[in-house]
Amino acid sequence: MDAMLEVLNLSHLPAKPKTSADPVLDAISLAVPNGHLLGVIGASGSGKSTLLHLISGLESPTAGEIRFQGHDTALKPIHPNSLGLVTEHDEGLISELTVRESLMSALILRVAGLSNEARVDKVSHLLVGMGLETVASQRVSSLALPQRRRLKLALALLSDAPLVLCDEFTAGLDVKSEQELAGLLKYVVADLPGRIVVHASQSLANLSTYDSVLILHEGRVCFHGPGRAVAHYFSITNVEELYPRLAKRPAERWGESWSRHRDQYYEAFKLGDLGKPFEERAENESGEEAEEKRAPKESATPGIEYPPPSPLPTLLAQTGHLIRRRWTLWRRNQREWLEHLALFLVCPMTAMLLVAPNTGYLSELQSQNLSPEAIAPAAYTCTMIVFLQVLLLMIVSVRVAAPEIARDRLVFERERNAGLRGVAYLAAKLGFLIPLMIAHGMALALLVDVMGGHLPGLGVGRIVLLVLTGVAFSSLCLGISAMCRSVDRAQSHAWKLWAANVILAGALLGFPRPLGMLIQPFVTAYYGWSGSVDTLSSSVVFEPLKLFVRTWFATPGSAMIWLLLQSLVGVLLAGWGLKKRR
């Protein structure tokens, strides 16, 4: 009996081991044949989720080897479309999409070269097979927990992956739903010839559903065989007594006991030598046979040919679809677009209300009243309008960009496991945020002008600088969002950055120039307002303005360059944060 998946003497230490830390997994060896449903059973902390992470490539083992279809996965990682991964998180779904749209979107991101008709056929097949046909047009947010689990499984099957790994797929469900979903895993195995499904679970119910069960205790194999033999092997009357029974002996002793009895149980249940380490199996074979086993094979079982995995879509195709999907979600989220509409109107009104008592001086300036009594207040008003516009647009940036990645992190992790490129995801976020910030910046500048804040000088330059300020600060907030584990933390750090900009942009007025030159590259607000103020250099308000604003102004050109550099820093920070798995 040949195996498509082999785990050979696999060991794994904690990510941050202490001096006497026990391994998460210790010398795990087993093999899984084609067309097999394996249950990895164990209490919390037994190492079952870690085993799935190692097989899937999300983590690297400390020692040992994993072979899939004859290849060492350390040398040839499993292609994303050869692996279906169902994680334990129920939040990694997009609430605003319907069930059918969720599957279509995931298929577009995962498999290239399909016609629209082929996608529809594929999705329809999964909807029927997963029991989701009656809720296909419902939004994901309205699904019950068992239906969400079915959808998660369907998303993992879109590429016809020959290996499917499920982590706590039936956890937290009622008895009936748990039985139904356990039976659904049997259907998944049968739906594709040779497919392997591995399900890691704490539940001791429905053990008879699995073709075999692997029982882990504190990172060691305690049993591997049919579910019906568990009670006999552990000398218990029913399987519910398993965990108390395991707790009565150290894990090392359970592991040693299984090593002694393993061959006897494999022979009794006709499992052959699939659970033995490769080296032990090779001892019973001639040198040529052992070498042939080690050689990569296109098919691990005679009669089953494994076609190459479906190709992933191009970077451009993934980016384009993600941008379209994000704008669709924005339109469907009423709260989100209403908030943007409110910001479009509230920000200009706020700016004008704060400077309303002084806007009359701008009118006198337009009527050519150049007396000192009119010019000095007009200069002060110009400075305040520009500064308020910059700070208000940065507030919009915090509201828009800080939650953007942190809120959807689990969705990104799920789609990355299925082949989504991080660069495509980041580019799509920028494709959503940059147009929004352009619209907010232009609205803030133009509406303030319409409402009475008619500033002299180069108006186009000020609009460009205001927009770039919003883009730069949004990029920095996006980087913060990618680095944080939660929306609350991302927003908290973004607001701290905003407050620092408010303080430092004004504090530069009193700093010695050498110190100010060191600080100003990090202050977005400084370039936004000082570059905009410098556009007034041809106006009569500029000289009196310099009398009460004793600082140095960035030229519009240099301010634009620095804002673009800050945008780049934010993008790089976001890319770095996306590389880290949460």
Side-chain angles (χ1 to χ4, degrees):
M1 187 187 300
D2 288 331
M4 184 170 77
L5 175 66
E6 294 179 287
V7 177
L8 312 172
N9 293 322
L10 197 68
S11 296
H12 190 63
L13 293 173
K16 297 180 180 179
K18 299 178 182 178
T19 305
S20 59
D22 294 326
V24 180
L25 294 174
D26 187 19
I28 303 295
S29 291
L30 75 147
V32 189
N34 299 275
H36 196 84
L37 174 58
L38 172 68
V40 180
I41 308 300
S44 178
S46 61
K48 56 187 184 299
S49 294
T50 301
L51 178 59
L52 262 60
H53 290 171
L54 294 174
I55 294 173
S56 65
L58 297 180
E59 297 184 47
S60 299
T62 305
E65 183 180 337
I66 300 170
R67 297 177 70 85
F68 177 66
Q69 294 182 352
H71 297 279
D72 184 350
T73 59
L75 302 177
K76 183 182 179 181
I78 301 175
H79 190 278
N81 280 337
S82 292
L83 175 67
L85 184 59
V86 182
T87 63
E88 60 183 320
H89 303 291
D90 291 320
E91 297 82 10
L93 300 172
I94 305 175
S95 301
E96 292 83 1
L97 296 181
T98 67
V99 172
R100 187 183 298 276
E101 287 172 338
S102 296
L103 292 173
M104 287 292 289
S105 176
L107 187 57
I108 292 171
L109 291 174
R110 188 164 188 175
V111 180
L114 294 180
S115 65
N116 188 61
E117 182 179 355
R119 291 193 189 106
V120 171
D121 290 342
K122 180 66 179 177
V123 168
S124 297
H125 172 76
L126 283 172
L127 288 172
V128 174
M130 296 296 105
L132 293 170
E133 191 175 24
T134 58
V135 295
S137 59
Q138 291 185 21
R139 288 195 181 184
V140 173
S141 57
S142 68
L143 298 182
L145 182 57
Q147 294 170 329
R148 294 172 70 89
R149 296 285 174 82
R150 290 172 183 267
L151 176 57
K152 285 169 57 180
L153 183 58
L155 290 168
L157 300 176
L158 283 166
S159 64
D160 292 326
L163 177 61
V164 179
L165 307 178
C166 303
D167 195 359
E168 297 292 357
F169 179 60
T170 60
L173 301 176
D174 58 87
V175 175
K176 180 176 179 296
S177 297
E178 186 174 355
Q179 290 176 342
E180 290 176 349
L181 293 191
L184 188 61
L185 294 178
K186 292 287 288 184
Y187 164 80
V188 171
V189 174
D191 191 49
L192 183 70
R195 173 180 279 161
I196 286 178
V197 176
V198 181
H199 179 213
S201 175
Q202 297 185 48
S203 175
L204 297 172
N206 307 304
L207 293 186
S208 60
T209 304
Y210 304 107
D211 296 318
S212 68
V213 295
L214 178 78
I215 295 179
L216 295 179
H217 179 51
E218 296 180 2
R220 292 169 175 82
V221 176
C222 300
F223 175 82
H224 180 208
R228 66 181 184 276
V230 171
H232 174 268
Y233 179 78
F234 290 98
S235 302
I236 53 181
T237 56
N238 58 70
V239 293
E240 284 74 18
E241 301 173 19
L242 175 62
Y243 291 148
R245 174 68 171 147
L246 289 173
K248 291 181 179 180
R249 294 170 60 181
E252 294 87 345
R253 291 184 59 190
W254 283 118
E256 293 169 358
S257 176
W258 173 244
S259 296
R260 294 194 302 269
H261 295 93
R262 181 187 59 205
D263 294 347
Q264 176 185 350
Y265 270 78
Y266 283 166
E267 183 178 354
F269 297 116
K270 296 181 172 53
L271 290 178
D273 56 359
L274 286 180
K276 298 180 183 179
F278 181 88
E279 291 77 4
E280 293 185 26
R281 300 204 303 276
E283 290 177 0
N284 300 322
E285 301 171 345
S286 67
E288 291 183 1
E289 290 173 333
E291 187 64 29
E292 183 181 352
K293 289 284 187 180
R294 286 185 177 274
K297 297 181 288 184
E298 293 300 323
S299 175
T301 297
I304 298 179
E305 294 295 332
Y306 297 104
S310 304
L312 293 172
T314 64
L315 176 66
L316 186 60
Q318 288 185 336
T319 303
H321 175 71
L322 287 173
I323 291 175
R324 291 190 296 271
R325 189 178 76 181
R326 183 62 184 92
W327 281 105
T328 298
L329 298 178
W330 182 80
R331 290 194 304 270
R332 291 186 182 180
N333 190 328
Q334 185 179 28
R335 179 179 177 180
E336 188 173 10
W337 64 260
L338 283 177
E339 179 179 353
H340 281 285
L341 181 60
L343 289 172
F344 271 114
L345 300 175
V346 170
C347 287
M349 291 178 63
T350 301
M352 292 312 301
L353 285 173
L354 291 174
V355 297
N358 288 8
T359 54
Y361 296 110
L362 296 179
S363 300
E364 292 188 20
L365 196 64
Q366 291 177 356
S367 62
Q368 301 300 316
N369 183 356
L370 302 182
S371 64
E373 293 78 7
I375 293 179
Y380 173 79
T381 303
C382 291
T383 306
M384 289 304 299
I385 289 178
V386 169
F387 196 56
L388 286 172
Q389 285 178 322
V390 168
L391 295 186
L392 288 170
L393 190 59
M394 290 172 63
I395 290 175
V396 175
S397 300
V398 174
R399 295 289 301 169
V400 173
E404 188 64 24
I405 291 178
R407 179 181 53 212
D408 300 331
R409 188 65 191 231
L410 290 177
V411 176
F412 167 67
E413 296 289 354
R414 173 179 62 78
E415 294 182 330
R416 173 166 61 178
N417 294 336
L420 174 63
R421 299 171 180 85
V423 174
Y425 179 81
L426 180 55
K429 290 299 183 184
L430 294 173
F432 170 71
L433 289 175
I434 291 177
L436 268 183
M437 296 315 301
I438 291 175
H440 276 288
M442 293 184 66
L444 184 57
L446 296 177
L447 288 177
V448 166
D449 192 69
V450 169
M451 295 168 66
H454 303 288
L455 303 183
L458 301 174
V460 175
R462 281 196 301 273
I463 294 176
V464 172
L465 281 166
L466 189 60
V467 167
L468 285 178
T469 301
V471 171
F473 203 68
S474 294
S475 299
L476 293 171
C477 290
L478 192 67
I480 291 173
S481 185
M483 298 295 294
C484 293
R485 293 180 177 272
S486 67
V487 172
D488 290 342
R489 180 171 294 185
Q491 289 182 323
S492 174
H493 290 324
W495 282 119
K496 291 174 184 176
L497 182 62
W498 179 86
N501 269 266
V502 174
I503 295 171
L504 291 175
L508 288 174
L509 303 177
F511 285 165
R513 181 150 189 168
L515 180 59
M517 295 290 286
L518 291 175
I519 296 174
Q520 69 184 41
F522 305 98
V523 185
T524 307
Y526 165 77
Y527 292 108
W529 77 266
S530 72
S532 297
V533 166
D534 200 66
T535 63
L536 303 173
S537 58
S538 61
S539 172
V540 293
V541 299
F542 190 69
E543 290 302 323
L545 187 150
K546 290 196 300 182
L547 295 177
F548 64 84
V549 181
R550 294 183 176 274
T551 186
W552 55 97
F553 300 113
T555 64
S558 64
M560 292 177 188
I561 291 173
W562 279 105
L563 289 172
L564 288 173
L565 288 174
Q566 289 189 352
S567 301
L568 179 60
V569 170
V571 171
L572 294 176
L573 183 64
W576 182 33
L578 288 174
K579 286 185 177 180
K580 297 183 178 181
R581 294 189 180 271
R582 303 296 184 189

